[in-house]
Amino acid sequence: MSASARVGGNTPTPDPAVAALRPLAFSDLAGWSDDRHAEAFAAFHRSAQRMARTPHRTRALGIDGAALARVGAAALDLAAPDDGAARRFFERHFIPHLVEPAQGRPFLTGYFEPEVDGALAPSARFPVPLYRRPPDLVDITDANRPVGFDPSFAFARQTATGLTVYPDRAAIEAGALAGQGLELVYVASHVEAFFIHVQGSARIRLAEGGLLRVAYAGKTGHPYSSIGRILVARGVAPAEQMTADRLRAWLEADEARGRALMQENRSFIFFRPLDGLEDHLGAVAAAGVQITPGRSLAVDRFLHTFGSPIWLETDLPTGPNGAVEPMRRLMIAQDTGSAILGPARGDFFYGLGDEAGRLAGLTRHQPERFVVFVPSGG
């Protein structure tokens, strides 16, 4: 039976000013039968465990969180399927829908989990702190947002007289949080810390011994600004040449100049320590599960329901030495990010360490197709 014949009333109807969803058949997906579906199922299974406790909220594209949780319950009954059984699971429970953005084209970037040296105490070698979430940082919702408060801010500072805007990157680096004991761990430089902020998690090899894993715990609320885009706009390099490695080299070439540029991104991230994680997986991300290298996708959290499978047809630098190769792969929406905005906007999680970081820094591609899976009721 074709997808269009099965879809009936299950097709979500997002705001046409945002996107349209067009049902497809699985046979329409280029390379569908060749993917390693068991890997995608394992990532989906982690989301299923989370959804069994609390279904994810249905977001603006209309992928129903409760229906997705019911599919997750079926996944929990399927023990370690091979590729064939996993493929049949997705085909039984979902209908692919092409995401057609009302504006712009699909766009894909990459991210990773850095692994760097650091220490629990400051020193000449490790002088720059990563901070815990301050106790006066509160989440902003429609219920507690002060009149006139910037609607883009999701965080604020609780004071004796009410909520106010939190200090930004420049103010914090100048000492706005000093003396509060919020320092979690120290790293080698402001550039190192900045890139950890951008990625949202890290593994810190401690000088005292052992490994500390840290993950996102909140932010000041100021909008994220891409300093790479700022340099492109200033003519430092064309967009296609502004890789993460080139950006880092520019920042490190002149400390004062680099600090000034980084502070133009007023957003500042706070972290929490993580224990008991599986080593081969990434940190616990926005969807409440550890993310899977090569299978977890960060999406716009206001549009996509976490746990949704998403099929990508694109080219990525996944070959030897970063050579671009065709990639047809099922991902799971399990994370988000300040710069991930739009119905066909994704951030591909490459994994852990330097090589993952290098590939992530090379990724700025326009997928041929960005396809979200809608629960079919089957």
Side-chain angles (χ1 to χ4, degrees), residues 169 190-191 194 227 251 258-265:
R169 177 178 298 276
H190 286 282
V191 174
F194 185 88
I227 62 172
L251 294 171
R259 290 280 301 279
L261 178 65
M262 289 185 289
Q263 289 176 0
E264 291 193 47
N265 176 23

Side-chain angles (χ1 to χ4, degrees), residues 243-316:
T243 65
D245 287 346
R246 183 162 186 174
L247 174 59
R248 186 172 191 132
W250 191 95
L251 294 171
E252 292 177 339
D254 184 319
E255 181 179 1
R257 180 186 69 177
R259 290 280 301 279
L261 178 65
M262 289 185 289
Q263 289 176 0
E264 291 193 47
N265 176 23
R266 300 179 66 195
S267 179
F268 191 91
I269 305 300
F270 303 108
F271 295 90
R272 59 192 172 98
L274 295 174
D275 297 317
L277 300 185
E278 295 185 60
D279 287 342
H280 68 288
L281 299 175
V284 175
V289 298
Q290 279 192 261
I291 50 178
T292 303
R295 292 292 172 177
S296 293
L297 192 70
V299 295
D300 188 329
R301 66 185 179 92
F302 297 106
L303 300 179
H304 287 275
T305 303
F306 282 144
S308 299
I310 293 175
W311 176 257
L312 296 178
E313 295 177 15
T314 189
D315 295 326
L316 284 185

Side-chain angles (χ1 to χ4, degrees), residues 161-298:
T161 57
L163 297 175
T164 187
V165 174
Y166 216 84
D168 65 5
R169 177 178 298 276
I172 291 173
E173 291 184 356
L177 299 181
Q180 299 185 42
L182 297 174
E183 296 84 359
L184 174 61
V185 65
Y186 295 82
V187 296
S189 70
H190 286 282
V191 174
E192 195 86 86
F194 185 88
F195 277 88
I196 293 172
H197 281 222
V198 171
Q199 302 305 323
S201 65
R203 299 178 181 217
I204 315 293
R205 297 182 294 263
L206 296 174
E208 297 87 351
L211 187 73
L212 174 66
R213 297 188 70 172
V214 299
Y216 171 91
K219 60 182 180 179
T220 57
H222 297 278
Y224 171 83
S225 299
S226 168
I227 62 172
R229 290 181 185 172
I230 293 173
L231 289 186
V232 168
R234 293 175 183 173
V236 173
E240 64 272 14
Q241 295 180 18
M242 187 51 71
T243 65
D245 287 346
R246 183 162 186 174
L247 174 59
R248 186 172 191 132
W250 191 95
L251 294 171
E252 292 177 339
D254 184 319
E255 181 179 1
R257 180 186 69 177
R259 290 280 301 279
L261 178 65
M262 289 185 289
Q263 289 176 0
E264 291 193 47
N265 176 23
R266 300 179 66 195
S267 179
F268 191 91
I269 305 300
F270 303 108
F271 295 90
R272 59 192 172 98
L274 295 174
D275 297 317
L277 300 185
E278 295 185 60
D279 287 342
H280 68 288
L281 299 175
V284 175
V289 298
Q290 279 192 261
I291 50 178
T292 303
R295 292 292 172 177
S296 293
L297 192 70

Side-chain angles (χ1 to χ4, degrees), residues 35-36 38-44 46 110-114 201 203 213 278-285 289-298 312 316 318 327 329-332 334-335 347-353 355-357 359-360:
D35 193 19
R36 298 187 297 274
E39 294 179 4
F41 181 87
F44 181 74
R46 293 185 186 94
Y111 73 116
F112 73 110
E113 185 173 328
S201 65
R203 299 178 181 217
R213 297 188 70 172
E278 295 185 60
D279 287 342
H280 68 288
L281 299 175
V284 175
V289 298
Q290 279 192 261
I291 50 178
T292 303
R295 292 292 172 177
S296 293
L297 192 70
L312 296 178
L316 284 185
T318 53
M327 190 201 72
R329 187 175 297 187
L330 187 60
M331 310 289 291
I332 310 298
Q334 293 177 322
D335 203 359
D347 207 16
F348 184 98
F349 180 59
Y350 276 95
L352 321 169
E355 178 62 11
L359 295 175

